[in-house]
Amino acid sequence: MIRKDIIDLFRVPLGKKVRLKDYNPGWKQSEEFKDFGKDALKERAKVILDENLVNLAEAQSLLYADDRFAVLIVLQAMDAAGKDGTIKHVMSGVNPQGCQVFSFKKPSAEELDHNFLWRYMRCLPERGRIGIFNRSYYEDVLVVKVHPDFLGRQLAHEKVGKKFWEARYEDINAFEHHLVRNGTVILKFFLNVSKDEQKRRFLERLDRPEKNWKFSASDMAERGFWDDYMAAYEDALSATSTEWAPWYVIPADYKWVTRGLVADIITTSIQALNLKYPEVTDERKLLSDARKKLGAE
Ligand code: ATP
Ligand code: MG
């Protein structure tokens, strides 16, 4: 289990303007690992992740049995930050029946014909389940903020300015508050990869034939807007890290760090619900109670 004070390092404080410069994408050293060499560190991280996966599988089976809460995990990141790998590893021990993953791409014409939250609402996890959003409604204040022409007819009557985005943050906060008050736990992770590490991973995708398929020209184009994206992330994280649905800025230059932290935060958040397996009702007692009640009438 990773210590709480370490996890607190990555939780975005409420009501404070986020500066991504304050978060180190290459973080890998906590006090307890200070004296470890590189290999020992990786080894230890793997042990922690394996422990976590066992705990997470247990927590998830309890969530399923208890059937009162749902968990929504939101993953946002620049390309090649490791969203897919994180989902694959973190969820590897979890019962597939209790887990749903939705990946959101460019919206369809039908989706654009509705309010911006519509397509996400339809994919929310039921009670007892973990739902993962691989990209999410946050795209509507990130990629869309970087490229406002994506709004198209969604732009009913307003002008796209500061007020427009503030209204979207407000809508998102209200939407999430509604979900939390109805039994959904929301955990939001921004996988914070550095521009240098993204370059390294893109080059790897180009160099290795079995990774070529992962590379797309649009990834390069979006990299050109890096600073605009960072500004959009800073605004969104600042406006939407709430008491009921906090953001975590997860260091993402080392995959094992990302995976360990995400697994740990999910596990501890479910454990904090103090769930219990439902008590089995004794059928015979039920019958004899009913008989007694009727006899006393
Ligand atoms: P991969 O790791 O496979 O690249 P990905 O999540 O980047 O996964 P892609 O199909 O490459 O998937 O990209 C999806 C694209 O859809 C992203 O560029 C994302 O910004 C865009 N997108 C997602 N939601 C919206 C939205 N609401 N409006 C406009 N674009 C969106
Ligand atoms: Mg992509």
Side-chain angles (χ1 to χ4, degrees):
M1 195 64 54
I2 298 169
R3 289 205 326 260
K4 191 175 170 299
D5 55 329
I6 296 177
I7 289 177
D8 285 346
L9 284 179
F10 305 111
R11 188 192 284 114
V12 174
L14 311 183
K16 211 177 131 205
K17 173 77 185 152
V18 173
R19 289 200 340 234
L20 285 172
K21 285 208 167 60
D22 298 340
Y23 293 85
N24 175 11
W27 183 94
K28 62 172 170 175
Q29 209 76 328
S30 70
E31 269 305 299
E32 61 186 303
F33 296 154
K34 217 172 55 197
D35 304 324
F36 283 46
K38 191 168 162 245
D39 290 339
L41 190 62
K42 250 185 143 164
E43 200 49 45
R44 176 79 192 117
K46 199 180 164 311
V47 173
I48 292 183
L49 181 57
D50 286 346
E51 274 170 23
N52 259 327
L53 294 187
V54 173
N55 292 336
L56 180 56
E58 257 171 45
Q60 188 249 0
S61 106
L62 198 51
L63 183 82
Y64 191 80
D66 179 89
D67 205 20
R68 284 179 300 153
F69 294 93
V71 176
L72 173 64
I73 296 168
V74 169
L75 283 179
Q76 284 294 152
M78 297 299 281
D79 287 301
K83 284 183 284 108
D84 291 338
T86 302
I87 295 172
K88 188 167 130 192
H89 278 81
V90 172
M91 289 298 147
S92 55
V94 160
N95 178 354
Q97 291 209 66
C99 181
Q100 299 146 311
V101 184
F102 294 95
S103 300
F104 294 98
K105 315 278 181 191
K106 284 208 168 74
S108 67
E110 187 196 15
E111 287 167 343
L112 284 172
D113 270 345
H114 291 83
N115 67 73
F116 83 95
L117 291 170
W118 181 75
R119 67 168 179 158
Y120 310 99
M121 288 179 182
R122 310 165 79 209
C123 301
L124 291 168
E126 309 147 55
R127 287 181 213 288
R129 310 266 159 121
I130 299 178
I132 301 179
F133 280 5
N134 180 0
R135 302 189 186 272
S136 65
Y137 40 91
Y138 283 98
E139 290 293 324
D140 297 79
V141 292
L142 293 166
V143 64
V144 181
K145 195 172 184 206
V146 174
H147 304 288
D149 46 315
F150 287 178
L151 282 165
R153 281 179 299 115
Q154 279 192 321
L155 192 59
H157 30 256
E158 298 128 288
K159 279 200 293 230
V160 200
K162 199 160 173 266
K163 281 224 170 85
F164 176 84
W165 301 111
E166 276 169 8
R168 284 203 163 187
Y169 302 140
E170 250 177 54
D171 287 345
I172 288 175
N173 287 341
F175 172 59
E176 290 180 343
H177 208 171
H178 166 70
L179 296 179
V180 171
R181 283 192 281 225
N182 282 270
T184 299
V185 175
I186 304 181
L187 301 169
K188 304 184 292 195
F189 300 106
F190 168 51
L191 307 191
N192 185 27
V193 76
S194 66
K195 200 174 176 190
D196 281 347
E197 179 61 18
Q198 189 196 52
K199 177 175 165 185
R200 215 190 51 73
R201 292 185 190 175
F202 279 179
L203 285 172
E204 195 181 332
R205 289 178 179 187
L206 293 170
D207 290 344
R208 294 180 37 192
E210 77 281 12
K211 290 206 167 184
N212 282 172
W213 64 275
K214 281 194 173 181
F215 188 82
S216 78
S218 73
D219 291 356
M220 261 325 276
E222 293 317 297
R223 180 176 165 83
F225 292 96
W226 186 275
D227 292 344
D228 296 336
Y229 273 105
M230 291 306 116
Y233 268 108
E234 287 185 341
D235 289 347
L237 296 171
S238 310
T240 62
S241 196
T242 53
E243 198 188 313
W244 54 90
W247 270 107
Y248 295 90
V249 177
I250 303 290
D253 279 4
Y254 296 98
K255 290 177 179 173
W256 48 274
V257 173
T258 313
R259 293 167 188 174
L261 285 172
V262 170
D264 194 86
I265 293 170
I266 300 171
T267 310
T268 28
S269 305
I270 298 178
Q271 285 170 344
L273 295 171
N274 275 323
L275 304 178
K276 294 196 176 53
Y277 284 106
E279 304 221 345
V280 182
T281 45
D282 182 344
E283 291 295 328
R284 271 175 311 177
K285 187 168 179 309
L286 216 76
L287 298 180
S288 78
D289 282 357
R291 190 171 290 120
K292 252 188 241 154
K293 247 192 189 157
L294 287 170
E297 265 184 14

